[in-house]
């Protein structure tokens, strides 16, 4: 299968046409929930002279504002873990929304995002299982860890779409369907850099429209890789049960 990056992106625009409103709302709510966990770090910056200097420097260079806060504050390991777990749950809920949107031309309600949060425990298990393996591969050098991160990149999609699939099986299938496409996935991430820069120039407001576009694009790539694997007997339908 030829990895048709432009086709996935063009189709994403068509899928979002007339349905951007709810997708923007999902992005906004996701961002606000994540921001709550940054508040303690934000206020810790204000309480120290070094933090105030860093904060003012960040404001003057707004494109790196979030990066500066998350890397200079004295956040506890527990806060960082909680933030990552919440992000994993939100990401899984978002996938539930976008997967449903990819299956029908009808408008999808915000309820689909809320319903996706019912999958919170599988989101957390996926986060830990995937994270442990990537960490172990990274110990072998950075490059193997990066390669495996792309090999495991479809795990969340599989877990979100197929409620009966086990986490280890999702990892195995992800490795099989991404075989030969890891560089293509990486290049597709790079293709959004220009849009990321433009979003930064709008104080990240542009992310409200960029994130749905990116999410639908990667959903389309996932569908294509999964279909290719099924059509070529790389995996079988019963593997998804």
């Amino acid at each position: 299968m030829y990895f048709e990056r432009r086709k996935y992106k063009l189709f994403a625009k068509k899928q979002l046409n007339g349905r951007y409103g709810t997708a923007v709302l999902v992005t906004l709510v996701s961002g606000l929930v994540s921001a709550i966990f940054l508040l303690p770090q934000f206020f810790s910056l204000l309480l120290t002279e070094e933090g105030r200097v860093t904060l003012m420097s960040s404001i003057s260079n707004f494109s790196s504002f979030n990066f500066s806060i998350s890397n200079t504050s004295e956040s506890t390991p527990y806060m960082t873990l909680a933030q990552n777990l919440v992000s994993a749950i939100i990401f899984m809920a978002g996938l539930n929304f976008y997967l449903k949107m990819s299956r029908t031309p009808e408008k999808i309600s915000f309820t689909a995002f809320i319903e996706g949060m019912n999958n919170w425990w599988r989101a957390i298990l996926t986060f830990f299982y995937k994270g442990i393996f990537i960490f172990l591969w990274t110990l072998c050098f950075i490059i193997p860890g990066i390669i495996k991160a792309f090999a495991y990149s479809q795990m969340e999609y599989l877990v979100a779409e197929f409620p009966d699939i086990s986490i280890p099986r999702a990892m195995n299938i992800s490795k099989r369907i991404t075989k030969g496409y890891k560089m293509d996935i990486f290049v597709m991430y790079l293709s959004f850099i220009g849009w990321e820069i433009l979003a930064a120039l709008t104080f990240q407001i542009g992310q409200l429209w960029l994130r749905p576009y990116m999410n639908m694009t990667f959903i389309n790539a996932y569908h294509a890789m999964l279909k290719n694997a099924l059509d070529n007997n790389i995996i079988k339908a019963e593997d998804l049960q």
Side-chain angles (χ1 to χ4, degrees):
M1 180 196 79
Y2 179 68
F3 194 90
E4 301 178 274
R5 184 179 72 252
R6 293 182 180 179
K7 176 182 176 181
Y8 307 147
K9 297 174 80 169
L10 179 62
F11 191 38
K13 292 179 181 178
K14 292 181 179 179
Q15 290 169 306
L16 288 165
N17 186 34
R19 301 194 291 176
Y20 241 117
T22 309
V24 168
L25 178 60
V26 168
T27 306
L28 178 61
V29 171
S30 299
L32 290 175
V33 172
S34 298
I36 291 174
F37 285 83
L38 288 176
L39 288 178
Q41 302 176 45
F42 178 82
F43 288 115
S44 69
L45 281 173
L46 295 179
L47 295 176
T48 65
E49 182 177 353
E50 179 183 356
R52 286 193 292 271
V53 172
T54 301
L55 184 58
M56 292 305 297
S57 175
S58 299
I59 293 174
S60 67
N61 184 15
F62 52 81
S63 65
S64 61
F65 179 67
N66 290 333
F67 179 83
S68 296
I69 289 180
S70 61
N71 283 276
T72 59
S73 61
E74 296 179 358
S75 58
T76 67
Y78 300 106
M79 180 61 71
T80 301
L81 177 60
Q83 184 177 340
N84 287 330
L85 293 180
V86 170
S87 295
I89 295 170
I90 290 176
F91 182 61
M92 189 71 73
L95 286 182
N96 186 68
F97 171 80
Y98 287 108
L99 282 166
K100 287 188 176 181
M101 181 178 282
S102 71
R103 295 296 190 185
T104 175
E106 302 297 325
K107 290 187 175 181
I108 304 299
S109 69
F110 185 74
T111 305
F113 174 72
I114 301 299
E115 290 174 346
M117 291 189 182
N118 293 330
N119 218 12
W120 63 270
W121 64 276
R122 280 166 60 80
I124 291 175
L125 285 177
T126 304
F127 167 78
F128 278 114
Y129 197 82
K130 179 180 179 180
I132 289 172
F133 275 86
I134 292 177
F135 172 73
L136 292 175
W137 277 105
T138 303
L139 292 179
C140 299
F141 292 113
I142 297 298
I143 299 301
I146 295 175
I147 292 174
K148 287 300 179 180
F150 284 107
Y152 305 151
S153 63
Q154 306 305 298
M155 283 181 64
E156 288 86 354
Y157 297 84
L158 291 160
V159 172
E161 184 168 22
F162 302 102
D164 296 326
I165 196 171
S166 68
I167 308 304
R169 182 178 294 180
M171 172 177 281
N172 181 267
I173 293 175
S174 179
K175 289 189 295 183
R176 290 155 70 182
I177 68 177
T178 57
K179 186 176 182 179
Y181 300 113
K182 289 184 279 293
M183 180 57 70
D184 294 298
I185 297 171
F186 174 66
V187 171
M188 192 156 72
Y189 275 108
L190 292 180
S191 70
F192 287 101
I193 288 181
W195 290 111
E196 292 281 6
I197 294 173
L198 288 176
L201 294 175
T202 64
F203 292 91
Q204 302 299 342
I205 295 175
Q207 292 286 352
L208 293 175
W209 289 268
L210 175 58
R211 288 298 145 186
Y213 175 37
M214 291 182 65
N215 288 331
M216 285 307 302
T217 298
F218 282 98
I219 286 283
N220 292 334
Y222 156 74
H223 283 315
M225 288 187 288
L226 184 60
K227 182 178 184 301
N228 173 70
L230 287 168
D231 291 345
N232 291 281
N233 293 318
I234 297 172
I235 63 171
K236 298 180 180 179
E238 49 264 34
D239 292 332
L240 301 171
Q241 300 174 357

